[in-house]
Amino acid sequence: MSALTASTDAAASLAPTDRASGKAPAARTSRRRGPLDWVRAHALATTAVLIFVFLLAPNVVMFVMSFNAPVGKYNYIWHQFSTDAWRHPCQVGDICQHMGLSLEIGVVAMIASTILGTMAAFAMSRHRFRARPAVNVLLFLPMAAPEIIMGATLLTLFFSTIGSGSMGFWTIVIGHIMFCLSYVVVTVKSRLAGLDPTLEKAAQDLYATPRQTFLKVTLPLVAPGIAAAALLSFALSVDDYIVTKYTAGDQITFPLYVYGAVQRSVPTQIDVIGSMMMLVTMTGIAGMLVLGRLRARRR
Amino acid sequence: MSAQTVNVGVPPAPKPIGEPDLPERRKRNRLPYLLLAPTLLWLIIFFVVPIFTSVSASVQEGSLDQGYALTWRWANFSDGWSQYNGQFGRSLLFAFLCTVFCLLMGYPLAYFIAFKGGRWKTLLMALVIVPSFTSFLIRTIAWKTILSDNGVVVHVLNDLHVLNFTSAIGFTVGNHVLASPAAVVCGMVYNFLPFTVLPLYTSLEKIDPRLHEAGADLYCSPLTTWRRVTLPLSMPGVVGGTLLTFIPAVGDYVNAQLLGNPNTLVIGQSIEHEFLQDSTGYPLASALSVILMAATLAIVLLYVKKAGTEDLL
Amino acid sequence: MAMNMATADAGTGTGTGANAGADNPAGGSDLRLERITKRFGAFTAVDDVSLTIPQGSFFALLGASGCGKTTTLRMVSGLEDPTHGRIFLGEREVTDLKPYKRPVNTVFQNYALFPHMDIFENVAFGLRRRGIKDVKPQVEQMLDLVELGHLARRKPAQLSGGQQQRVAVARALINQPQVLLLDEPLGALDLKLRRQMQIELKRIQTEVGLTFVHVTHDQEEAMTMADTIAVMNAGRIEQLGSPADLYENPVSTFVANFLGQSNLIIGEVTAKDGDTITLDAQGQRLTLPAARSRIDSGRIIAGVRPEKVSLATDAARIPNGHNVLTGGVVSDASFIGVSTQYLVKMPWGSQVGCEEMSVFEQNAGQEIHRPGTQVLLHWDPTQTFGLDGAQDLDAGSDPDDEASDVGAAA
């Protein structure tokens, strides 16, 4: 068609000589590729690898140092290989009791925040209502606020209501649930957003009542998100220091113990327990991946 | 094939004609509030109300033995500021540096995973997040090993005479990296990097890679494509990541405590000191918290005003 | 021009319709829409539509996107509530019934197969919700009907588009609904597969004898599959009838342009004697049968389908009695294989008729006219239809519509 050829001619004559983008695109002539080309092509990947090293180095160091027999009280410098700490992980202080307390608190906080947060996520993603913007901000604040504010303000609340003597397990749990809620809502909400809305309509079309639709279709499809949210809140709770410090009264969780102990000594057992946590998490995630692959392959 | 005469029974009986569905409609409107109520209540009681008790505490005075009285002692604020403005400033500086470095490192990482990750996207993101599931205190302590005077890092930096330069401008102290502002910021960047990467990744992942092809087709170099196409589209992620990094970083003090020295005190340590180690410090500490709180709220509201609330969560 | 209180032609229903009715305890179960209106705020999606679809027929709702056809379908299924109007299945009013209480099932546009269940469970879903315990024999029978028995234990993600589509059909059909609704189910399939599925669905409908209501924007699809078509435009039904009816006797320029292509020319009626109407179009005289014209005086739009028109270079070759248009110049000739499609530029401006008339000539060995040739257009006057002259000539011919052309094969 004449129109088509006319437009191609026009396009060719419009080849840019824009200085900002360099010379006009010319036909590529082959030239020898030097080492600099390899770097340029892989610059991004190299940077990413370096950043990953930065992110993962401390984990590796922690794992390696757990096999160290340190000189003196601080396990900072490699001295010699030893599996002593692994064989006696609970030997120092009451480290395992403190870990146990952290785990207990973690489970309670996980269950409560997951249930409450999931309900809230459904409300936020399924319904439009007038207070929505305000609720959005309120749910966002605990994620963005400095932990010290949350801890300090909780302290003033408890101090002025129940007195500093009554603070302990439950005040810790309350604080943990409080900051876990937002993360649960975000996680479940994002899973809900990815859900095909037609599926629930299809269920209704196929005689499922709203309750049946929820139990048979919605819930199974959101379940992975809820599970992820639960694990996230467990991890956040077990690992928390600042908020716990202000709400703990005389209870000592694992992070509180570590922080306090660091002033005086860093026993190898700390690295051991840290490594155990890491191995458990890695095994859990690896297990889920493998399970997913197996289930897909079986079909 | 013969016609189907499969009898699958009668569908459920319909409701009698003439009965409007009004009650059900009303229930539907109440449902979101019912679902939200427990969470909202929890946050109001344990997040919003404490802020008010804190504000009230900040204008009290007294001591642990004599009790605290609401005397509207506004001097708490001026006292706090005059005593600790250095720490405030340092907190802001450290948080700022931390955010900048987190963006500089987090963006390429998120970009790499989102566009070059392919099948391994989820695994790589897991690699970013999973380490944070181990006690962050212990991992931060591990930095003491990495940055120790006997370690590889310090040796290399010394050989390259980098430390002479950085000590001259106050980033490091002498021939050491530990117990210096540099170590504190390094620890902060390490701790907050996942918080930056996650929103960045979410935002970048949504970008259609064919837009890059369109950019190249329209005479953009890779850098120009990034600047004119990718960067603007990833701005929500950049802003979100910045918010979620800067604000918590201002209040962080664990890194300063573990990796810093008495000259790198930040406001968090001062608040802790006033709260827990000085029996008359309770109102002062509350005043300091209120100042920090106000700054946080201001930043968040500024963001909300510009970007609305829907992208927050 | 209000819409029709229409009853579809019962004569074109399928033979087994009566059987399905006999099995159904509700008795005669024609689907009847009575003055259905749906408004979203200020926007009226469906405007006072009344319609009766006899049981056992294959009915199509045809229209461009946004014309209200999908909204109408959703109101029948219960997923949308009408603002006004009532819906009846046989004698039973279902307007206020929730979707899970209606004996109506839908095949969704994106299939909406439950990803966490395998094919067997997907198909069995409706049966289970209705309390039927032993679903195995029926599910297996239904899967055999759609030829997917060997994939019963796979998950939807492991199936191809065409297979997923068949599962969606099976899942709906197994419940023996009084009406099966299909919401553009073939849109995501490629051309060949789509043709295959069109034939499949028609076959299934004939076998099973249920009422099928099919929503589509593809007029070729509608004409292939349906017994009766309702063309919808801006929330109203423009015309309702059999495919041949709609094609050969459109009632408006919209229908004339939407279904296939039409050459439309404005003229003035000069005479009407007996069963022939004569009109003057730009100085050229045309005749058409009065029976195929909507009006018989004043301004008229004469229309003729491209495949009915022939080109001639020599006036002597034109058969007696044909309508003839002079002054045409071939501006484009596209060889399609089966036919050659010509665009012929006419001497009049675009306000009075198509500037370029379309002519499809079957390639039966005659010469192909090159662009630039001066030609005469001629056709049998009985193939002309007449429309009210006070209409928009371009209605329904929007190139944004994805409606495909009717094939040129005569």
Side-chain angles (χ1 to χ4, degrees), chain C residues 157-235:
Chain C
Q158 296 166 291
L159 266 55
S160 71
Q163 290 169 331
Q164 288 182 4
Q165 209 266 344
R166 279 184 276 160
V167 174
V169 173
R171 185 177 72 172
L173 269 184
I174 196 173
N175 304 291
Q176 289 263 310
Q178 290 181 21
V179 180
L180 181 68
L181 306 173
L182 300 109
D183 185 4
E184 307 212 45
L186 306 182
L189 304 176
D190 61 59
L191 192 61
K192 248 196 193 151
L193 200 50
R194 210 183 307 160
R195 296 246 190 277
Q196 220 176 307
M197 285 309 303
Q198 285 168 8
I199 301 170
E200 268 298 299
L201 282 174
K202 184 71 186 165
R203 172 182 75 82
I204 293 176
Q205 194 267 338
T206 318
E207 269 188 43
V208 178
L210 300 177
T211 312
F212 274 31
V213 178
H214 183 124
V215 156
T216 179
H217 60 269
D218 183 345
Q219 34 106 333
E220 202 180 321
E221 186 168 288
M223 298 220 273
T224 311
M225 299 169 78
D227 306 321
T228 317
I229 304 178
V231 177
M232 283 190 76
N233 181 28

Side-chain angles (χ1 to χ4, degrees), chain C residues 82-126:
Chain C
T83 318
H84 296 294
R86 310 203 291 168
I87 303 175
F88 293 87
L89 270 177
E91 293 306 307
R92 198 169 73 183
E93 178 173 355
V94 297
T95 325
D96 292 319
L97 285 189
K98 293 258 157 268
Y100 45 93
K101 297 224 170 86
R102 293 193 202 196
V104 170
N105 292 121
T106 310
V107 178
F108 291 86
Q109 189 169 11
N110 65 344
Y111 317 138
L113 298 181
F114 303 125
H116 57 298
M117 301 180 190
D118 60 27
I119 303 304
F120 186 95
E121 283 306 319
N122 261 285
V123 174
F125 191 85

Side-chain angles (χ1 to χ4, degrees), chain B residues 209-233:
Chain B
R210 284 173 294 182
L211 290 174
H212 293 162
E213 293 176 359
D217 182 77
L218 292 163
Y219 317 112
C220 285
S221 68
L223 198 60
T224 320
T225 311
W226 174 76
R227 190 161 57 93
R228 296 227 171 258
V229 178
T230 318
L231 184 60
L233 287 173

Side-chain angles (χ1 to χ4, degrees), chain A residues 14 20 34 49 67 93 124 143 198 204 230 259 283:
Chain A
L14 280 176
V49 168
F67 291 100
M124 291 303 284
M143 281 196 296
T198 346
Q204 285 205 322
Y259 191 91
T283 327

Side-chain angles (χ1 to χ4, degrees), chain C residues 16 29 44 74 93 96 119 246 253-254 285 334 340 392 409:
Chain C
T16 49
S29 47
T44 307
R74 288 163 61 85
E93 178 173 355
D96 292 319
I119 303 304
L246 262 60
T253 52
F254 182 87
R285 180 180 164 279
S334 298
T340 304
D392 178 13

